[in-house]
PDB file of all heavy atoms in Angstrom:
ATOM      1  N   ALA P 164       0.833  -1.204   0.000  1.00 87.00           N
ATOM      2  CA  ALA P 164       0.000   0.000   0.000  1.00 87.00           C
ATOM      3  C   ALA P 164       0.868   1.255   0.000  1.00 87.00           C
ATOM      4  O   ALA P 164       0.514   2.277  -0.595  1.00 87.00           O
ATOM      5  CB  ALA P 164      -0.916   0.010   1.223  1.00 87.00           C
ATOM      6  N   LYS P 165       2.031   1.166   0.647  1.00 87.00           N
ATOM      7  CA  LYS P 165       2.943   2.303   0.755  1.00 87.00           C
ATOM      8  C   LYS P 165       4.347   1.775   0.990  1.00 87.00           C
ATOM      9  O   LYS P 165       4.536   0.779   1.689  1.00 87.00           O
ATOM     10  CB  LYS P 165       2.526   3.215   1.918  1.00 87.00           C
ATOM     11  CG  LYS P 165       3.417   4.419   2.146  1.00 87.00           C
ATOM     12  CD  LYS P 165       2.927   5.220   3.349  1.00 87.00           C
ATOM     13  CE  LYS P 165       3.838   6.413   3.620  1.00 87.00           C
ATOM     14  NZ  LYS P 165       3.398   7.166   4.818  1.00 87.00           N
ATOM     15  N   GLY P 166       5.348   2.431   0.392  1.00 88.00           N
ATOM     16  CA  GLY P 166       6.728   2.008   0.608  1.00 88.00           C
ATOM     17  C   GLY P 166       7.268   1.193  -0.551  1.00 88.00           C
ATOM     18  O   GLY P 166       6.836   1.343  -1.698  1.00 88.00           O
ATOM     19  N   LEU P 167       8.205   0.293  -0.252  1.00 88.00           N
ATOM     20  CA  LEU P 167       8.897  -0.467  -1.286  1.00 88.00           C
ATOM     21  C   LEU P 167       9.438  -1.756  -0.680  1.00 88.00           C
ATOM     22  O   LEU P 167      10.024  -1.747   0.402  1.00 88.00           O
ATOM     23  CB  LEU P 167      10.064   0.369  -1.836  1.00 88.00           C
ATOM     24  CG  LEU P 167      10.520   0.176  -3.267  1.00 88.00           C
ATOM     25  CD1 LEU P 167       9.404   0.491  -4.259  1.00 88.00           C
ATOM     26  CD2 LEU P 167      11.736   1.043  -3.551  1.00 88.00           C
ATOM     27  N   LEU P 168       9.228  -2.871  -1.378  1.00 91.00           N
ATOM     28  CA  LEU P 168       9.749  -4.165  -0.937  1.00 91.00           C
ATOM     29  C   LEU P 168      10.733  -4.714  -1.964  1.00 91.00           C
ATOM     30  O   LEU P 168      10.642  -4.405  -3.149  1.00 91.00           O
ATOM     31  CB  LEU P 168       8.617  -5.189  -0.766  1.00 91.00           C
ATOM     32  CG  LEU P 168       7.455  -4.867   0.167  1.00 91.00           C
ATOM     33  CD1 LEU P 168       6.502  -6.064   0.216  1.00 91.00           C
ATOM     34  CD2 LEU P 168       7.943  -4.514   1.559  1.00 91.00           C
ATOM     35  N   LYS P 169      11.646  -5.521  -1.501  1.00 89.00           N
ATOM     36  CA  LYS P 169      12.499  -6.260  -2.427  1.00 89.00           C
ATOM     37  C   LYS P 169      12.378  -7.749  -2.107  1.00 89.00           C
ATOM     38  O   LYS P 169      12.240  -8.146  -0.953  1.00 89.00           O
ATOM     39  CB  LYS P 169      13.968  -5.825  -2.320  1.00 89.00           C
ATOM     40  CG  LYS P 169      14.667  -6.210  -1.021  1.00 89.00           C
ATOM     41  CD  LYS P 169      16.167  -5.889  -1.076  1.00 89.00           C
ATOM     42  CE  LYS P 169      16.879  -6.253   0.238  1.00 89.00           C
ATOM     43  NZ  LYS P 169      18.317  -5.964   0.182  1.00 89.00           N
ATOM     44  N   THR P 170      12.405  -8.561  -3.154  1.00 89.00           N
ATOM     45  CA  THR P 170      12.411 -10.004  -3.007  1.00 89.00           C
ATOM     46  C   THR P 170      13.721 -10.521  -3.584  1.00 89.00           C
ATOM     47  O   THR P 170      14.098 -10.138  -4.696  1.00 89.00           O
ATOM     48  CB  THR P 170      11.210 -10.645  -3.737  1.00 89.00           C
ATOM     49  OG1 THR P 170       9.995 -10.138  -3.173  1.00 89.00           O
ATOM     50  CG2 THR P 170      11.226 -12.156  -3.593  1.00 89.00           C
ATOM     51  N   TYR P 171      14.390 -11.355  -2.831  1.00 88.00           N
ATOM     52  CA  TYR P 171      15.707 -11.830  -3.257  1.00 88.00           C
ATOM     53  C   TYR P 171      15.914 -13.263  -2.783  1.00 88.00           C
ATOM     54  O   TYR P 171      15.179 -13.793  -1.948  1.00 88.00           O
ATOM     55  CB  TYR P 171      16.806 -10.937  -2.689  1.00 88.00           C
ATOM     56  CG  TYR P 171      16.868 -10.922  -1.177  1.00 88.00           C
ATOM     57  CD1 TYR P 171      17.710 -11.798  -0.483  1.00 88.00           C
ATOM     58  CD2 TYR P 171      16.094 -10.040  -0.434  1.00 88.00           C
ATOM     59  CE1 TYR P 171      17.766 -11.795   0.913  1.00 88.00           C
ATOM     60  CE2 TYR P 171      16.139 -10.035   0.953  1.00 88.00           C
ATOM     61  CZ  TYR P 171      16.976 -10.903   1.618  1.00 88.00           C
ATOM     62  OH  TYR P 171      17.017 -10.909   2.991  1.00 88.00           O
ATOM     63  N   GLN P 172      16.931 -13.895  -3.337  1.00 87.00           N
ATOM     64  CA  GLN P 172      17.370 -15.198  -2.850  1.00 87.00           C
ATOM     65  C   GLN P 172      18.869 -15.131  -2.621  1.00 87.00           C
ATOM     66  O   GLN P 172      19.540 -14.223  -3.126  1.00 87.00           O
ATOM     67  CB  GLN P 172      17.010 -16.304  -3.836  1.00 87.00           C
ATOM     68  CG  GLN P 172      17.632 -16.148  -5.211  1.00 87.00           C
ATOM     69  CD  GLN P 172      17.066 -17.163  -6.195  1.00 87.00           C
ATOM     70  OE1 GLN P 172      16.095 -17.848  -5.919  1.00 87.00           O
ATOM     71  NE2 GLN P 172      17.690 -17.258  -7.369  1.00 87.00           N
ATOM     72  N   LEU P 173      19.387 -16.057  -1.851  1.00 83.00           N
ATOM     73  CA  LEU P 173      20.804 -16.062  -1.528  1.00 83.00           C
ATOM     74  C   LEU P 173      21.550 -17.019  -2.449  1.00 83.00           C
ATOM     75  O   LEU P 173      21.082 -18.128  -2.717  1.00 83.00           O
ATOM     76  CB  LEU P 173      21.016 -16.475  -0.071  1.00 83.00           C
ATOM     77  CG  LEU P 173      20.393 -15.544   0.988  1.00 83.00           C
ATOM     78  CD1 LEU P 173      20.639 -16.101   2.383  1.00 83.00           C
ATOM     79  CD2 LEU P 173      20.949 -14.133   0.864  1.00 83.00           C
ATOM     80  N   THR P 174      22.711 -16.571  -2.928  1.00 79.00           N
ATOM     81  CA  THR P 174      23.545 -17.427  -3.756  1.00 79.00           C
ATOM     82  C   THR P 174      24.294 -18.416  -2.866  1.00 79.00           C
ATOM     83  O   THR P 174      24.243 -18.338  -1.634  1.00 79.00           O
ATOM     84  CB  THR P 174      24.563 -16.592  -4.549  1.00 79.00           C
ATOM     85  OG1 THR P 174      25.490 -15.977  -3.610  1.00 79.00           O
ATOM     86  CG2 THR P 174      23.857 -15.495  -5.345  1.00 79.00           C
ATOM     87  N   ALA P 175      25.003 -19.351  -3.492  1.00 80.00           N
ATOM     88  CA  ALA P 175      25.778 -20.339  -2.734  1.00 80.00           C
ATOM     89  C   ALA P 175      26.833 -19.662  -1.866  1.00 80.00           C
ATOM     90  O   ALA P 175      27.217 -20.179  -0.814  1.00 80.00           O
ATOM     91  CB  ALA P 175      26.437 -21.336  -3.686  1.00 80.00           C
ATOM     92  N   ALA P 176      27.271 -18.471  -2.305  1.00 80.00           N
ATOM     93  CA  ALA P 176      28.278 -17.728  -1.548  1.00 80.00           C
ATOM     94  C   ALA P 176      27.660 -16.863  -0.458  1.00 80.00           C
ATOM     95  O   ALA P 176      28.367 -16.190   0.286  1.00 80.00           O
ATOM     96  CB  ALA P 176      29.101 -16.851  -2.490  1.00 80.00           C
ATOM     97  N   GLY P 177      26.325 -16.879  -0.363  1.00 80.00           N
ATOM     98  CA  GLY P 177      25.657 -16.099   0.676  1.00 80.00           C
ATOM     99  C   GLY P 177      25.328 -14.679   0.280  1.00 80.00           C
ATOM    100  O   GLY P 177      24.893 -13.891   1.119  1.00 80.00           O
ATOM    101  N   ASN P 178      25.507 -14.339  -1.007  1.00 78.00           N
ATOM    102  CA  ASN P 178      25.198 -12.996  -1.481  1.00 78.00           C
ATOM    103  C   ASN P 178      23.742 -12.899  -1.939  1.00 78.00           C
ATOM    104  O   ASN P 178      23.152 -13.884  -2.393  1.00 78.00           O
ATOM    105  CB  ASN P 178      26.116 -12.619  -2.653  1.00 78.00           C
ATOM    106  CG  ASN P 178      27.575 -12.607  -2.255  1.00 78.00           C
ATOM    107  OD1 ASN P 178      27.929 -12.124  -1.174  1.00 78.00           O
ATOM    108  ND2 ASN P 178      28.436 -13.140  -3.110  1.00 78.00           N
ATOM    109  N   GLU P 179      23.185 -11.712  -1.816  1.00 81.00           N
ATOM    110  CA  GLU P 179      21.815 -11.500  -2.258  1.00 81.00           C
ATOM    111  C   GLU P 179      21.742 -11.452  -3.783  1.00 81.00           C
ATOM    112  O   GLU P 179      22.551 -10.806  -4.430  1.00 81.00           O
ATOM    113  CB  GLU P 179      21.258 -10.188  -1.704  1.00 81.00           C
ATOM    114  CG  GLU P 179      20.942 -10.224  -0.233  1.00 81.00           C
ATOM    115  CD  GLU P 179      20.246  -8.950   0.229  1.00 81.00           C
ATOM    116  OE1 GLU P 179      19.792  -8.170  -0.642  1.00 81.00           O
ATOM    117  OE2 GLU P 179      20.158  -8.729   1.444  1.00 81.00           O
ATOM    118  N   GLN P 180      20.755 -12.128  -4.334  1.00 80.00           N
ATOM    119  CA  GLN P 180      20.441 -12.029  -5.757  1.00 80.00           C
ATOM    120  C   GLN P 180      19.043 -11.443  -5.868  1.00 80.00           C
ATOM    121  O   GLN P 180      18.055 -12.083  -5.533  1.00 80.00           O
ATOM    122  CB  GLN P 180      20.490 -13.397  -6.430  1.00 80.00           C
ATOM    123  CG  GLN P 180      20.146 -13.352  -7.917  1.00 80.00           C
ATOM    124  CD  GLN P 180      20.124 -14.731  -8.554  1.00 80.00           C
ATOM    125  OE1 GLN P 180      20.140 -15.742  -7.866  1.00 80.00           O
ATOM    126  NE2 GLN P 180      20.102 -14.769  -9.871  1.00 80.00           N
ATOM    127  N   LEU P 181      18.969 -10.190  -6.298  1.00 80.00           N
ATOM    128  CA  LEU P 181      17.693  -9.485  -6.351  1.00 80.00           C
ATOM    129  C   LEU P 181      16.781 -10.098  -7.411  1.00 80.00           C
ATOM    130  O   LEU P 181      17.200 -10.318  -8.553  1.00 80.00           O
ATOM    131  CB  LEU P 181      17.924  -8.006  -6.660  1.00 80.00           C
ATOM    132  CG  LEU P 181      16.707  -7.091  -6.622  1.00 80.00           C
ATOM    133  CD1 LEU P 181      16.145  -7.003  -5.220  1.00 80.00           C
ATOM    134  CD2 LEU P 181      17.079  -5.703  -7.139  1.00 80.00           C
ATOM    135  N   LEU P 182      15.535 -10.363  -7.038  1.00 83.00           N
ATOM    136  CA  LEU P 182      14.567 -10.941  -7.963  1.00 83.00           C
ATOM    137  C   LEU P 182      13.563  -9.908  -8.442  1.00 83.00           C
ATOM    138  O   LEU P 182      13.341  -9.753  -9.639  1.00 83.00           O
ATOM    139  CB  LEU P 182      13.831 -12.114  -7.288  1.00 83.00           C
ATOM    140  CG  LEU P 182      14.704 -13.283  -6.835  1.00 83.00           C
ATOM    141  CD1 LEU P 182      13.862 -14.322  -6.099  1.00 83.00           C
ATOM    142  CD2 LEU P 182      15.422 -13.924  -8.031  1.00 83.00           C
ATOM    143  N   THR P 183      12.947  -9.200  -7.518  1.00 82.00           N
ATOM    144  CA  THR P 183      11.962  -8.190  -7.893  1.00 82.00           C
ATOM    145  C   THR P 183      11.948  -7.050  -6.884  1.00 82.00           C
ATOM    146  O   THR P 183      12.335  -7.219  -5.729  1.00 82.00           O
ATOM    147  CB  THR P 183      10.522  -8.764  -7.956  1.00 82.00           C
ATOM    148  OG1 THR P 183      10.166  -9.281  -6.658  1.00 82.00           O
ATOM    149  CG2 THR P 183      10.408  -9.863  -8.984  1.00 82.00           C
ATOM    150  N   ILE P 184      11.479  -5.900  -7.355  1.00 83.00           N
ATOM    151  CA  ILE P 184      11.180  -4.755  -6.503  1.00 83.00           C
ATOM    152  C   ILE P 184       9.669  -4.548  -6.587  1.00 83.00           C
ATOM    153  O   ILE P 184       9.104  -4.497  -7.677  1.00 83.00           O
ATOM    154  CB  ILE P 184      11.906  -3.485  -6.970  1.00 83.00           C
ATOM    155  CG1 ILE P 184      13.426  -3.677  -6.895  1.00 83.00           C
ATOM    156  CG2 ILE P 184      11.471  -2.286  -6.129  1.00 83.00           C
ATOM    157  CD1 ILE P 184      13.977  -3.817  -5.496  1.00 83.00           C
ATOM    158  N   THR P 185       9.006  -4.446  -5.444  1.00 86.00           N
ATOM    159  CA  THR P 185       7.550  -4.318  -5.419  1.00 86.00           C
ATOM    160  C   THR P 185       7.175  -2.939  -4.885  1.00 86.00           C
ATOM    161  O   THR P 185       7.482  -2.603  -3.745  1.00 86.00           O
ATOM    162  CB  THR P 185       6.921  -5.417  -4.536  1.00 86.00           C
ATOM    163  OG1 THR P 185       7.425  -6.697  -4.947  1.00 86.00           O
ATOM    164  CG2 THR P 185       5.413  -5.420  -4.680  1.00 86.00           C
ATOM    165  N   ALA P 186       6.518  -2.156  -5.734  1.00 83.00           N
ATOM    166  CA  ALA P 186       6.160  -0.775  -5.420  1.00 83.00           C
ATOM    167  C   ALA P 186       4.693  -0.700  -5.002  1.00 83.00           C
ATOM    168  O   ALA P 186       3.952  -1.676  -5.105  1.00 83.00           O
ATOM    169  CB  ALA P 186       6.420   0.104  -6.647  1.00 83.00           C
ATOM    170  N   PRO P 187       4.240   0.468  -4.514  1.00 85.00           N
ATOM    171  CA  PRO P 187       2.838   0.613  -4.122  1.00 85.00           C
ATOM    172  C   PRO P 187       1.875   0.230  -5.239  1.00 85.00           C
ATOM    173  O   PRO P 187       2.077   0.602  -6.397  1.00 85.00           O
ATOM    174  CB  PRO P 187       2.740   2.106  -3.778  1.00 85.00           C
ATOM    175  CG  PRO P 187       4.105   2.455  -3.300  1.00 85.00           C
ATOM    176  CD  PRO P 187       5.036   1.678  -4.178  1.00 85.00           C
ATOM    177  N   GLY P 188       0.844  -0.525  -4.883  1.00 82.00           N
ATOM    178  CA  GLY P 188      -0.120  -1.007  -5.860  1.00 82.00           C
ATOM    179  C   GLY P 188       0.240  -2.359  -6.442  1.00 82.00           C
ATOM    180  O   GLY P 188      -0.581  -3.003  -7.086  1.00 82.00           O
ATOM    181  N   GLN P 189       1.471  -2.814  -6.202  1.00 84.00           N
ATOM    182  CA  GLN P 189       1.914  -4.106  -6.700  1.00 84.00           C
ATOM    183  C   GLN P 189       1.895  -5.134  -5.569  1.00 84.00           C
ATOM    184  O   GLN P 189       1.633  -4.797  -4.415  1.00 84.00           O
ATOM    185  CB  GLN P 189       3.321  -3.982  -7.294  1.00 84.00           C
ATOM    186  CG  GLN P 189       3.401  -3.012  -8.467  1.00 84.00           C
ATOM    187  CD  GLN P 189       4.810  -2.830  -8.978  1.00 84.00           C
ATOM    188  OE1 GLN P 189       5.792  -3.119  -8.303  1.00 84.00           O
ATOM    189  NE2 GLN P 189       4.925  -2.327 -10.203  1.00 84.00           N
ATOM    190  N   TYR P 190       2.170  -6.364  -5.915  1.00 85.00           N
ATOM    191  CA  TYR P 190       2.066  -7.441  -4.930  1.00 85.00           C
ATOM    192  C   TYR P 190       3.146  -8.483  -5.159  1.00 85.00           C
ATOM    193  O   TYR P 190       3.788  -8.540  -6.221  1.00 85.00           O
ATOM    194  CB  TYR P 190       0.682  -8.095  -4.998  1.00 85.00           C
ATOM    195  CG  TYR P 190       0.396  -8.711  -6.349  1.00 85.00           C
ATOM    196  CD1 TYR P 190       0.780 -10.020  -6.639  1.00 85.00           C
ATOM    197  CD2 TYR P 190      -0.244  -7.984  -7.340  1.00 85.00           C
ATOM    198  CE1 TYR P 190       0.559 -10.574  -7.888  1.00 85.00           C
ATOM    199  CE2 TYR P 190      -0.479  -8.525  -8.582  1.00 85.00           C
ATOM    200  CZ  TYR P 190      -0.083  -9.826  -8.859  1.00 85.00           C
ATOM    201  OH  TYR P 190      -0.301 -10.370 -10.090  1.00 85.00           O
ATOM    202  N   VAL P 191       3.332  -9.341  -4.164  1.00 88.00           N
ATOM    203  CA  VAL P 191       4.285 -10.443  -4.241  1.00 88.00           C
ATOM    204  C   VAL P 191       3.671 -11.631  -3.500  1.00 88.00           C
ATOM    205  O   VAL P 191       2.829 -11.448  -2.624  1.00 88.00           O
ATOM    206  CB  VAL P 191       5.646 -10.033  -3.620  1.00 88.00           C
ATOM    207  CG1 VAL P 191       5.520  -9.797  -2.126  1.00 88.00           C
ATOM    208  CG2 VAL P 191       6.714 -11.073  -3.902  1.00 88.00           C
ATOM    209  N   GLY P 192       4.082 -12.820  -3.863  1.00 85.00           N
ATOM    210  CA  GLY P 192       3.579 -14.008  -3.182  1.00 85.00           C
ATOM    211  C   GLY P 192       2.613 -14.842  -3.999  1.00 85.00           C
ATOM    212  O   GLY P 192       2.185 -15.908  -3.571  1.00 85.00           O
ATOM    213  N   GLU P 193       2.278 -14.360  -5.206  1.00 80.00           N
ATOM    214  CA  GLU P 193       1.296 -15.089  -6.012  1.00 80.00           C
ATOM    215  C   GLU P 193       1.813 -16.452  -6.475  1.00 80.00           C
ATOM    216  O   GLU P 193       1.033 -17.389  -6.698  1.00 80.00           O
ATOM    217  CB  GLU P 193       0.849 -14.246  -7.221  1.00 80.00           C
ATOM    218  CG  GLU P 193       1.808 -14.171  -8.379  1.00 80.00           C
ATOM    219  CD  GLU P 193       3.010 -13.275  -8.129  1.00 80.00           C
ATOM    220  OE1 GLU P 193       3.071 -12.627  -7.069  1.00 80.00           O
ATOM    221  OE2 GLU P 193       3.888 -13.235  -8.995  1.00 80.00           O
ATOM    222  N   GLN P 194       3.143 -16.601  -6.603  1.00 78.00           N
ATOM    223  CA  GLN P 194       3.691 -17.893  -7.039  1.00 78.00           C
ATOM    224  C   GLN P 194       3.349 -18.990  -6.039  1.00 78.00           C
ATOM    225  O   GLN P 194       2.938 -20.091  -6.415  1.00 78.00           O
ATOM    226  CB  GLN P 194       5.203 -17.788  -7.205  1.00 78.00           C
ATOM    227  CG  GLN P 194       5.632 -16.961  -8.411  1.00 78.00           C
ATOM    228  CD  GLN P 194       7.149 -16.826  -8.481  1.00 78.00           C
ATOM    229  OE1 GLN P 194       7.781 -16.299  -7.576  1.00 78.00           O
ATOM    230  NE2 GLN P 194       7.726 -17.317  -9.551  1.00 78.00           N
ATOM    231  N   ALA P 195       3.520 -18.675  -4.764  1.00 75.00           N
ATOM    232  CA  ALA P 195       3.207 -19.660  -3.729  1.00 75.00           C
ATOM    233  C   ALA P 195       1.711 -19.961  -3.701  1.00 75.00           C
ATOM    234  O   ALA P 195       1.299 -21.112  -3.552  1.00 75.00           O
ATOM    235  CB  ALA P 195       3.663 -19.147  -2.368  1.00 75.00           C
ATOM    236  N   LEU P 196       0.899 -18.920  -3.886  1.00 74.00           N
ATOM    237  CA  LEU P 196      -0.550 -19.116  -3.859  1.00 74.00           C
ATOM    238  C   LEU P 196      -1.011 -20.015  -5.001  1.00 74.00           C
ATOM    239  O   LEU P 196      -1.992 -20.747  -4.872  1.00 74.00           O
ATOM    240  CB  LEU P 196      -1.268 -17.770  -3.956  1.00 74.00           C
ATOM    241  CG  LEU P 196      -1.121 -16.822  -2.761  1.00 74.00           C
ATOM    242  CD1 LEU P 196      -1.886 -15.534  -3.029  1.00 74.00           C
ATOM    243  CD2 LEU P 196      -1.617 -17.471  -1.482  1.00 74.00           C
ATOM    244  N   LEU P 197      -0.289 -19.954  -6.129  1.00 72.00           N
ATOM    245  CA  LEU P 197      -0.682 -20.723  -7.305  1.00 72.00           C
ATOM    246  C   LEU P 197       0.074 -22.039  -7.417  1.00 72.00           C
ATOM    247  O   LEU P 197       0.051 -22.699  -8.454  1.00 72.00           O
ATOM    248  CB  LEU P 197      -0.458 -19.880  -8.568  1.00 72.00           C
ATOM    249  CG  LEU P 197      -1.292 -18.589  -8.629  1.00 72.00           C
ATOM    250  CD1 LEU P 197      -0.931 -17.773  -9.857  1.00 72.00           C
ATOM    251  CD2 LEU P 197      -2.779 -18.904  -8.623  1.00 72.00           C
ATOM    252  N   GLY P 198       0.765 -22.422  -6.332  1.00 72.00           N
ATOM    253  CA  GLY P 198       1.388 -23.742  -6.286  1.00 72.00           C
ATOM    254  C   GLY P 198       2.808 -23.825  -6.789  1.00 72.00           C
ATOM    255  O   GLY P 198       3.326 -24.925  -7.007  1.00 72.00           O
ATOM    256  N   ALA P 199       3.483 -22.662  -6.997  1.00 74.00           N
ATOM    257  CA  ALA P 199       4.867 -22.690  -7.485  1.00 74.00           C
ATOM    258  C   ALA P 199       5.744 -21.775  -6.626  1.00 74.00           C
ATOM    259  O   ALA P 199       6.305 -20.797  -7.123  1.00 74.00           O
ATOM    260  CB  ALA P 199       4.913 -22.265  -8.949  1.00 74.00           C
ATOM    261  N   PRO P 200       5.894 -22.067  -5.335  1.00 77.00           N
ATOM    262  CA  PRO P 200       6.680 -21.196  -4.451  1.00 77.00           C
ATOM    263  C   PRO P 200       8.171 -21.279  -4.738  1.00 77.00           C
ATOM    264  O   PRO P 200       8.661 -22.291  -5.255  1.00 77.00           O
ATOM    265  CB  PRO P 200       6.362 -21.751  -3.060  1.00 77.00           C
ATOM    266  CG  PRO P 200       6.086 -23.204  -3.308  1.00 77.00           C
ATOM    267  CD  PRO P 200       5.375 -23.249  -4.631  1.00 77.00           C
ATOM    268  N   ASN P 201       8.871 -20.200  -4.438  1.00 81.00           N
ATOM    269  CA  ASN P 201      10.333 -20.211  -4.483  1.00 81.00           C
ATOM    270  C   ASN P 201      10.807 -20.501  -3.059  1.00 81.00           C
ATOM    271  O   ASN P 201      10.705 -19.633  -2.187  1.00 81.00           O
ATOM    272  CB  ASN P 201      10.872 -18.857  -4.960  1.00 81.00           C
ATOM    273  CG  ASN P 201      12.393 -18.835  -5.055  1.00 81.00           C
ATOM    274  OD1 ASN P 201      13.076 -19.695  -4.489  1.00 81.00           O
ATOM    275  ND2 ASN P 201      12.933 -17.867  -5.772  1.00 81.00           N
ATOM    276  N   PRO P 202      11.329 -21.698  -2.793  1.00 84.00           N
ATOM    277  CA  PRO P 202      11.677 -22.081  -1.417  1.00 84.00           C
ATOM    278  C   PRO P 202      12.872 -21.326  -0.850  1.00 84.00           C
ATOM    279  O   PRO P 202      13.197 -21.485   0.323  1.00 84.00           O
ATOM    280  CB  PRO P 202      11.979 -23.578  -1.551  1.00 84.00           C
ATOM    281  CG  PRO P 202      12.428 -23.744  -2.967  1.00 84.00           C
ATOM    282  CD  PRO P 202      11.610 -22.776  -3.759  1.00 84.00           C
ATOM    283  N   ALA P 203      13.523 -20.502  -1.682  1.00 86.00           N
ATOM    284  CA  ALA P 203      14.706 -19.782  -1.212  1.00 86.00           C
ATOM    285  C   ALA P 203      14.499 -18.273  -1.176  1.00 86.00           C
ATOM    286  O   ALA P 203      15.445 -17.525  -0.934  1.00 86.00           O
ATOM    287  CB  ALA P 203      15.901 -20.105  -2.119  1.00 86.00           C
ATOM    288  N   ALA P 204      13.262 -17.811  -1.383  1.00 88.00           N
ATOM    289  CA  ALA P 204      13.006 -16.377  -1.521  1.00 88.00           C
ATOM    290  C   ALA P 204      12.736 -15.691  -0.186  1.00 88.00           C
ATOM    291  O   ALA P 204      12.073 -16.244   0.690  1.00 88.00           O
ATOM    292  CB  ALA P 204      11.844 -16.138  -2.468  1.00 88.00           C
ATOM    293  N   TYR P 205      13.265 -14.477  -0.056  1.00 92.00           N
ATOM    294  CA  TYR P 205      13.018 -13.597   1.084  1.00 92.00           C
ATOM    295  C   TYR P 205      12.409 -12.304   0.547  1.00 92.00           C
ATOM    296  O   TYR P 205      12.755 -11.854  -0.549  1.00 92.00           O
ATOM    297  CB  TYR P 205      14.316 -13.244   1.811  1.00 92.00           C
ATOM    298  CG  TYR P 205      15.042 -14.412   2.437  1.00 92.00           C
ATOM    299  CD1 TYR P 205      15.816 -15.270   1.655  1.00 92.00           C
ATOM    300  CD2 TYR P 205      14.980 -14.640   3.810  1.00 92.00           C
ATOM    301  CE1 TYR P 205      16.494 -16.338   2.231  1.00 92.00           C
ATOM    302  CE2 TYR P 205      15.662 -15.698   4.385  1.00 92.00           C
ATOM    303  CZ  TYR P 205      16.419 -16.548   3.599  1.00 92.00           C
ATOM    304  OH  TYR P 205      17.090 -17.609   4.163  1.00 92.00           O
ATOM    305  N   THR P 206      11.530 -11.683   1.340  1.00 93.00           N
ATOM    306  CA  THR P 206      10.988 -10.376   0.980  1.00 93.00           C
ATOM    307  C   THR P 206      11.120  -9.454   2.184  1.00 93.00           C
ATOM    308  O   THR P 206      10.719  -9.812   3.288  1.00 93.00           O
ATOM    309  CB  THR P 206       9.506 -10.475   0.568  1.00 93.00           C
ATOM    310  OG1 THR P 206       9.388 -11.321  -0.577  1.00 93.00           O
ATOM    311  CG2 THR P 206       8.947  -9.098   0.217  1.00 93.00           C
TER     312      THR P 206
END
């Protein structure tokens, strides 16, 4: 609704790999809801 989120996963070396930036009006998490979750993702 307000602000900014980032979704990322960690590489084998422990570094962040940015996946998406989610801005106001946008959403994240639909992959898990539709049966295809990313088991390594953080938001």
Side-chain angles (χ1 to χ4, degrees):
K165 179 182 178 182
L167 209 61
L168 304 183
K169 69 173 179 179
T170 299
Y171 62 93
Q172 60 189 10
L173 298 178
T174 66
N178 299 318
E179 287 187 13
Q180 179 183 12
L181 186 65
L182 299 176
T183 60
I184 298 293
T185 308
Q189 299 176 341
Y190 61 87
V191 66
E193 77 285 356
Q194 289 177 300
L196 292 180
L197 298 176
N201 181 343
Y205 297 79
T206 299

